[in-house]
């Protein structure tokens, strides 16, 4: 999406010289604990912060990992359960970064991942009380006009979250991110009960619901009076690397699409469910908007896609069809209302897409979550299809996890733009499949995806800003560059390694033939490696909510 920007200084090639890889945020006392070592090693020790050896073990030789090119040894220390600060040390003296073992070690990561959305708020001042050193004025509050119109009708489209490294706002992307967070809240409510993020108050709602409400209020503004939904609100071109309030170009509303209308329908219906009993007036608004958009979809059964008009280079978010989007919409409305007409539509939509894909571009799995969590009776044929799709996908992903020395449940071809979302969607798939089956057969797979995100990968980076001693610090994110603050805004998930980078600097800095898991540079100019988006953060919120919830269950037991 980005190109031809001037940055101070020139990026440097990445040097991945770490020898031992650990989850830099740490490990739960009763969970699996594994370090990865890429130098010959038969034995290892765990030292506490005072240099005392508290655990010794023998490694397991995995062999060569195809995605990284590394020769891998596993150091498993799951039996070490005492809280404290530790270091893995090999028999030759190589040392890992320090890490912790403790009951509440993931709370800081969890909090930062959710609060990251607050820093992306559009149309709102970020005051020092809530944003600290990252405070800034309000932005993008001028009226929008509909692209292609005479410009006489003005629209208020202020609000919502900036989508990614740019300042655009997109309906389908926003719906996906909000859905991940609301489903996390529905599945793991106790994880959010004590979360205090320091964001503006809104009627006593849990902080995560305050933040998602901010996005939903903007989404409501994207619906036309006839029920259609504009695809996006952006300027014609991406802003230069300036602060949000310095981007004053004309804002446009771009043509409605059926994918935007369907995703809008689904997220509004989901929101109506979640906010019912907590903010009934808001829930009513969401339900009415969902049903209005659904009527427009029924009146417009053909696929209406989206492509950027000539001269526009902001995100397109186009899709090839809308069957999975309409499935999600119908599923969520059935969950909300229980009305037979929505179930009838679902029964006519059971071909042509996967029921376990978890967005943004393929949302069949979100429709499945709507049905699984809605409390409504699901026809056996439909439930069996959902279960079969999730079980099949989880089995496939477990095979990839087992064949990767770093435990990544993705294949080499999936190290693309936003590969970390593939990692996080895999974790979500494992979690949901375990939920469907009432088992814990994928716990180690889930843990490995979190470990990967937070440092157990061939780069050694924690891919979440502000989390870990060696974490991403220079994401492709305009305010993180333009604010002239050395510390990066915390809580953002980097896109991660990309075996086919497309930005000019990455093409220079990543030598041809580099193994895909090592195709990464922590530099602001490398947008195809190191951008952030709201729908890469949201599956990470889901994953951390799972771990926060599971640990609370263990404590209660």
């Amino acid at each position: 999406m980005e190109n031809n920007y001037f940055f101070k200084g020139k990026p440097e090639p990445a040097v991945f010289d770490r020898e031992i890889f650990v989850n830099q945020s740490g490990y739960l006392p009763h969970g699996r604990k594994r370090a990865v070592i890429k130098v010959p090693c038969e034995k290892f020790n765990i030292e506490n912060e005072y240099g005392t050896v508290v655990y010794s073990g023998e490694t397991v030789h995995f062999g060569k990992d195809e995605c990284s090119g590394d020769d891998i040894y596993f150091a498993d220390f799951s039996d070490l359960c005492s809280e404290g600060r530790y270091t893995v040390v090999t028999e030759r003296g190589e040392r890992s970064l320090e890490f912790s073992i403790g009951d509440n070690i993931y709370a800081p990561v969890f909090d930062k991942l959710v609060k990251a959305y607050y820093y992306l708020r559009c149309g709102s001042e970020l005051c020092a009380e809530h944003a600290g050193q990252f405070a800034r004025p309000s932005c993008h509050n001028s009226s929008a006009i509909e692209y292609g119109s005479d410009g006489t009708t003005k629209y208020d489209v202020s609000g919502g979250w900036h989508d990614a490294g740019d300042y655009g706002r997109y309906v389908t992307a926003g719906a996906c991110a909000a859905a991940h967070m609301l489903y996390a809240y529905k599945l793991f409510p106790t994880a959010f009960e004590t979360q205090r993020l320091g964001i503006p108050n809104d009627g006593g709602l849990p902080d995560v619901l305050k933040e998602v409400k901010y996005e939903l209020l903007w989404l409501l503004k994207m619906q036309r009076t006839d029920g259609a939904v504009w695809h996006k609100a952006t300027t014609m071109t991406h802003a230069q690397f300036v602060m949000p309030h310095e981007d004053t170009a004309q804002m446009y509303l771009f043509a409605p699409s059926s994918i935007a209308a369907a995703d809008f329908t689904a997220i509004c219906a989901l929101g109506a469910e979640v906010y019912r009993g907590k903010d009934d007036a808001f829930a009513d608004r969401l339900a009415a908007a969902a049903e209005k958009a659904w009527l427009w979809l029924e009146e417009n059964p053909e696929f209406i896609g989206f492509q950027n008009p000539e001269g526009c280079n902001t995100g397109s978010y186009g899709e090839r069809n809308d069957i999975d989007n309409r499935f999600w919409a119908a599923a969520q409305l059935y969950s909300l209302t229980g009305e037979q007409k929505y179930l009838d539509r679902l029964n006519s939509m059971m071909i042509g897409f996967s029921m376990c894909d978890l967005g943004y571009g393929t949302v069949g799995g979100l429709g499945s979550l709507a049905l699984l969590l809605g409390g409504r009776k699901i026809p056996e044929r439909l439930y069996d299809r959902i279960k079969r799709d999730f079980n099949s996908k989880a089995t496939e992903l477990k095979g990839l996890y087992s064949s990767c020395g770093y435990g990544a449940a993705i294949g080499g071809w999936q190290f693309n733009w936003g590969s970390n979302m593939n990692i996080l969607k895999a974790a979500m798939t494992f979690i949901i499949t375990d939920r469907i089956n009432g088992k814990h057969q994928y716990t180690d797979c889930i843990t490995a995806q979190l470990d990967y995100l937070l440092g157990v990968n061939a780069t050694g980076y924690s891919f979440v800003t502000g989390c870990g001693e060696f974490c991403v610090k220079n994401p492709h994110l305009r305010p993180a560059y333009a604010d002239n603050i050395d510390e990066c805004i915390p809580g953002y998930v980097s896109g991660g390694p990309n075996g086919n980078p497309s930005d000019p600097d990455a093409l220079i800095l990543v030598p041809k033939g580099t193994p895909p898991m090592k195709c990464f540079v922590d530099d602001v100019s490398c947008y195809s490696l190191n951008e952030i988006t709201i729908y890469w953060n949201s599956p990470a919120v889901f994953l951390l909510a799972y771990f926060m919830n599971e640990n609370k269950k263990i404590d209660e037991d």
Side-chain angles (χ1 to χ4, degrees):
M1 289 191 293
E2 311 286 356
N3 54 63
N4 300 323
Y5 291 110
F6 174 77
F7 296 99
K8 293 174 287 187
K10 292 299 293 180
E12 297 292 333
V15 178
F16 303 129
D17 56 2
R18 200 163 303 285
E19 296 157 325
I20 306 174
F21 304 87
V22 295
N23 183 324
Q24 295 176 42
S25 291
Y27 302 86
L28 294 172
H30 303 290
R32 190 198 74 158
K33 307 172 192 71
R34 175 186 282 181
V36 168
I37 303 171
K38 70 171 186 180
V39 293
C41 177
E42 294 183 0
K43 297 181 180 181
F44 70 96
N45 293 325
I46 307 291
E47 293 181 3
N48 65 17
E49 58 190 313
Y50 306 108
T52 302
V53 174
V54 297
Y55 186 90
S56 298
E58 295 183 356
T59 63
V60 174
H61 186 208
F62 172 84
K64 185 175 180 180
D65 171 57
E66 293 301 321
C67 289
S68 66
D70 294 335
D71 190 34
I72 297 296
Y73 295 79
F74 295 144
D76 193 294
F77 50 100
S78 300
D79 293 339
L80 178 61
C81 300
S82 300
E83 294 195 6
R85 294 283 292 171
Y86 301 100
T87 305
V88 179
V89 184
T90 71
E91 58 197 352
R92 301 194 313 181
E94 292 98 351
R95 303 179 67 85
S96 74
L97 296 174
E98 264 198 331
F99 60 90
S100 294
I101 295 174
D103 282 327
N104 210 34
I105 52 166
Y106 297 140
V109 185
F110 184 45
D111 289 351
K112 289 172 184 175
L113 287 167
V114 180
K115 187 163 183 178
Y117 288 91
Y118 170 72
Y119 297 117
L120 290 175
R121 284 190 180 191
C122 187
S124 175
E125 176 191 8
L126 304 188
C127 64
E129 177 187 358
H130 303 298
Q133 65 180 326
F134 305 113
R136 59 169 173 78
S138 185
C139 62
H140 301 105
N141 284 308
S142 59
S143 297
I145 59 176
E146 190 166 12
Y147 178 81
S149 72
D150 60 12
T152 56
T153 303
K154 309 291 185 181
Y155 298 90
D156 171 20
V157 292
S158 60
W161 302 317
H162 298 142
D163 173 66
D166 65 282
Y167 294 136
R169 286 161 293 153
Y170 309 86
V171 168
T172 57
C176 176
H180 288 155
M181 295 166 77
L182 292 182
Y183 288 132
Y185 180 80
K186 289 192 73 171
L187 270 169
F188 314 117
T190 60
F192 299 94
E193 286 176 354
T194 58
Q195 195 170 49
R196 300 292 181 269
L197 301 177
I199 62 176
N201 186 43
D202 189 346
L205 291 169
D207 280 357
V208 68
L209 298 190
K210 296 178 196 175
E211 198 51 59
V212 173
K213 182 179 179 181
Y214 192 82
E215 176 74 357
L216 293 175
L217 285 168
W218 170 73
L219 283 167
L220 289 170
K221 294 181 179 181
M222 294 297 287
Q223 186 172 43
R224 290 195 324 198
T225 55
D226 65 349
V229 178
W230 285 293
H231 192 77
K232 64 177 182 177
T234 76
T235 53
M236 279 296 288
T237 59
H238 288 305
Q240 295 297 313
F241 266 65
V242 297
M243 291 296 287
H245 59 282
E246 296 171 329
D247 176 26
T248 57
Q250 176 64 56
M251 186 70 61
Y252 291 92
L253 286 166
F254 289 88
S257 67
S258 59
I259 50 180
D263 289 359
F264 174 94
T265 300
I267 193 57
C268 287
L270 173 58
E273 275 191 57
V274 173
Y275 289 90
R276 180 71 64 205
K278 302 176 182 66
D279 187 341
D280 286 333
F282 185 51
D284 289 343
R285 283 185 65 191
L286 292 169
E291 291 176 347
K292 187 175 184 179
W294 177 258
L295 287 175
W296 183 87
L297 285 166
E298 292 289 81
E299 292 167 0
N300 294 271
E302 72 283 0
F303 169 60
I304 302 173
F306 181 83
Q307 289 184 332
N308 274 335
E310 185 176 353
C312 178
N313 77 342
T314 57
S316 177
Y317 288 103
E319 299 178 34
R320 295 181 179 179
N321 62 67
D322 62 10
I323 186 169
D324 56 318
N325 310 80
R326 290 176 186 258
F327 173 79
W328 182 26
Q332 205 65 70
L333 280 169
Y334 176 65
S335 175
L336 176 66
T337 68
E339 293 184 19
Q340 184 65 35
K341 63 180 179 180
Y342 300 120
L343 186 57
D344 291 341
R345 290 294 286 119
L346 288 170
N347 284 328
S348 69
M349 294 179 177
M350 289 180 59
I351 57 172
F353 66 98
S354 166
M355 289 191 180
C356 64
D357 287 339
L358 295 162
Y360 74 94
T362 49
V363 296
L366 301 182
S368 295
L369 271 177
L371 297 171
L372 293 170
L373 301 179
R376 306 289 182 183
K377 185 176 180 180
I378 308 172
E380 185 175 352
R381 183 172 71 101
L382 181 55
Y383 179 78
D384 287 346
R385 167 72 187 281
I386 292 171
K387 184 174 181 179
R388 183 173 69 250
D389 279 12
F390 269 100
N391 275 311
S392 176
K393 187 65 174 181
T395 299
E396 174 192 338
L397 292 171
K398 186 175 183 179
L400 294 171
Y401 150 82
S402 299
S403 66
C404 177
Y406 289 93
I410 64 175
W413 66 94
Q414 293 173 295
F415 285 94
N416 48 27
W417 193 335
S419 64
N420 281 336
M421 186 180 188
N422 294 330
I423 292 287
L424 292 164
K425 287 194 299 183
M428 289 181 68
T429 300
F430 290 135
I431 291 168
I432 295 164
T433 305
D434 269 354
R435 178 90 174 198
I436 290 171
N437 295 331
K439 299 178 180 179
H440 294 281
Q441 66 190 103
Y442 293 112
T443 302
D444 285 353
C445 302
I446 299 164
T447 301
Q449 307 320 296
L450 181 64
D451 289 348
Y452 176 96
L453 185 71
L454 296 175
V456 185
N457 60 73
T459 74
Y461 277 103
S462 165
F463 287 120
V464 183
T465 61
C467 297
E469 181 180 342
F470 184 64
C471 65
V472 167
K473 296 179 180 178
N474 304 291
H476 185 86
L477 172 63
R478 279 163 175 73
Y481 176 84
D483 63 10
N484 291 316
I485 298 171
D486 288 339
E487 181 183 346
C488 185
I489 307 168
Y492 292 114
V493 175
S494 165
N498 181 355
N500 295 287
S502 56
D503 53 272
D505 283 332
L507 289 170
I508 294 170
L509 296 172
V510 179
K512 287 187 177 180
T514 298
M517 199 188 291
K518 291 182 178 177
C519 292
F520 182 76
V521 183
D522 178 24
D523 193 275
V524 64
S525 68
C526 296
Y527 50 86
S528 67
L529 310 178
N530 206 26
E531 193 172 13
I532 67 98
T533 77
I534 55 177
Y535 52 85
W536 295 342
N537 256 60
S538 53
V541 170
F542 188 102
L543 177 57
L544 268 294
Y546 164 84
F547 277 98
M548 295 292 292
N549 187 76
E550 289 300 298
N551 194 48
K552 286 187 177 185
K553 283 167 57 180
I554 291 171
D555 289 345
E556 291 167 1
D557 293 343

